Amino acid sequence: MKTRSINSKLIIDTISNGGYFFLRFLSNIILYALFLDTFDIDNYGVYIFFYSLIFQLDFLKSGFSVSLERYIPITNSSSSRSNLISIVSLYYLLIGALISLSLFIIKEYSLINFLSVVQNRDYVNSIILFAPLLFYLSTFSNALRGFKDFRTENLINSIFLFVEIIVIIGLLNLKVPLEYFLYYIFSIISIRHVVHLIILIKNHGFSFSQIKINNSLYQFNKIKNFSLWNFVISINGAVQNQLDKTLVIIFLSPSALAIYYGVMQFVKFYTILVGIINKLITIPYK
């Protein structure tokens, strides 16, 4: 009976994950069509590059993301979990600050001529402004995954997905310039992370008052080797994911990147669909 209950939970969680990814896919296709119908394809290509850039830079924190998902379930006390989450959040904040500083230096001193393709620097400014905040707050979303609270996470993500669609449609109707869209989108993502933090505090015992420097350093030493190993594994795929967009926009054109992005949505959907089906097939036999 216990095994059947575990299998049922795994199947429900898998369906929940699949449902959210399917909604994400549909929203991407709908918004892709709306953007192309409203804006010049070259401008949209530049927008895609900078919109995806901050998410592709996630590989800089990927090792610790995996560590949170692995060590939170096997960490017994809420105090230890709180210190584990807090030390990872400080690392994420540092990475985000370094990204912002690097982009600021590149922009101010024109170290990379590629950035000159952007007529309005608000694309870069939005990343400089939000990178530390997004990286820091994303810790709590990664931690929520560590508690295996997939249904709550997917419900919140789905709600904010609809909010994002409504906001974007409103911006399109108001004819807001494309370079300002990232400010609104990054704000919505930040609020979503804050809601995840509230769920951690309310349902899973996370508390800032339990954070102690010695305990946090102990948790860091416990996960650092495992995190480095996962970082090395993920870096190749992560760099490749952003490198292809960079090469397309440099050697072809921003419009080519917009077309490439549309095609890749269907490729990603196929990959995700196959993964979900494989999990549904294999779960009953584990």
Side-chain angles (χ1 to χ4, degrees):
M1 290 297 293
K2 184 177 180 181
T3 302
R4 182 177 299 178
S5 175
I6 293 174
N7 286 338
S8 298
K9 183 179 184 301
L10 288 172
I11 291 173
I12 293 173
D13 286 341
T14 302
I15 293 174
S16 173
N17 290 333
Y20 171 68
F21 281 120
F22 182 69
L23 287 176
R24 183 87 239 181
F25 167 75
L26 286 181
S27 71
N28 286 341
I29 297 302
I30 293 171
L31 293 177
Y32 179 76
L34 291 175
F35 274 117
L36 287 182
D37 188 53
T38 307
F39 294 106
D40 178 82
I41 191 170
D42 282 333
N43 290 335
Y44 184 50
V46 174
Y47 166 85
I48 289 172
F49 177 83
F50 285 102
Y51 172 75
S52 62
L53 177 61
I54 195 168
F55 299 108
Q56 295 301 332
L57 289 173
D58 273 0
F59 80 91
L60 294 172
K61 62 180 185 180
S62 57
F64 284 92
S65 301
V66 176
S67 294
L68 281 177
E69 294 185 35
R70 173 180 176 176
Y71 282 94
I72 283 177
I74 62 175
T75 302
N76 295 326
S77 69
S78 62
S79 174
S80 296
R81 288 194 293 266
S82 295
N83 281 276
L84 172 61
I85 295 169
S86 68
I87 195 64
V88 173
S89 70
L90 289 177
Y91 169 77
Y92 284 4
L93 179 62
L94 176 62
I95 294 298
L98 289 175
I99 291 172
S100 292
L101 179 61
S102 300
L103 285 177
F104 178 79
I105 294 173
I106 290 171
K107 183 192 71 168
E108 291 300 314
Y109 296 98
S110 301
L111 298 182
I112 299 179
N113 291 330
F114 163 69
L115 291 179
S116 64
V117 303
V118 186
Q119 298 292 331
N120 191 310
R121 290 190 171 188
D122 277 297
Y123 289 113
V124 183
N125 291 338
S126 63
I127 298 179
I128 292 174
L129 178 63
F130 278 95
L133 181 65
L134 286 174
F135 269 63
Y136 173 73
L137 291 176
S138 67
T139 314
F140 307 111
S141 296
N142 292 332
L144 188 61
R145 235 165 272 135
F147 286 100
K148 311 301 180 186
D149 196 357
F150 297 116
R151 277 168 279 182
T152 301
E153 180 189 6
N154 288 326
L155 176 61
I156 294 170
N157 291 345
S158 297
I159 292 172
F160 276 91
L161 180 61
F162 285 112
V163 171
E164 182 180 326
I165 294 172
I166 292 170
V167 169
I168 289 176
I169 292 175
L171 295 175
L172 291 173
N173 290 331
L174 293 172
K175 301 188 184 304
V176 174
L178 187 56
E179 57 267 20
Y180 296 120
F181 274 61
L182 291 184
Y183 292 103
Y184 293 94
I185 293 174
F186 290 160
S187 295
I188 293 171
I189 295 172
S190 299
I191 296 171
R192 186 188 73 198
H193 289 324
V194 170
V195 174
H196 288 164
L197 170 59
I198 294 172
I199 296 298
L200 280 179
I201 295 172
K202 182 178 178 181
N203 295 348
H204 301 291
F206 175 78
S207 174
F208 290 103
S209 64
Q210 294 179 327
I211 297 173
K212 307 294 181 184
I213 295 177
N214 290 338
N215 197 344
S216 294
L217 292 177
Y218 170 76
Q219 297 299 328
F220 179 81
N221 289 328
K222 185 173 70 173
I223 67 173
K224 64 180 181 182
N225 292 333
F226 180 77
S227 300
L228 178 61
W229 179 70
N230 278 285
F231 171 76
V232 172
I233 291 176
S234 65
I235 189 171
N236 179 58
V239 171
Q240 183 178 351
N241 284 339
Q242 187 59 31
L243 182 62
D244 58 357
K245 298 179 180 66
T246 305
L247 294 177
V248 168
I249 201 170
I250 291 177
F251 292 105
L252 295 177
S253 66
S255 61
L257 178 58
I259 296 171
Y260 174 79
Y261 175 80
V263 174
M264 288 303 296
Q265 295 305 309
F266 290 94
V267 175
K268 289 179 181 178
F269 176 71
Y270 170 77
T271 303
I272 292 170
L273 180 62
V274 170
I276 292 170
I277 293 175
N278 286 339
K279 286 182 179 180
L280 286 173
I281 292 174
T282 57
I283 282 173
Y285 297 98
K286 288 184 178 181

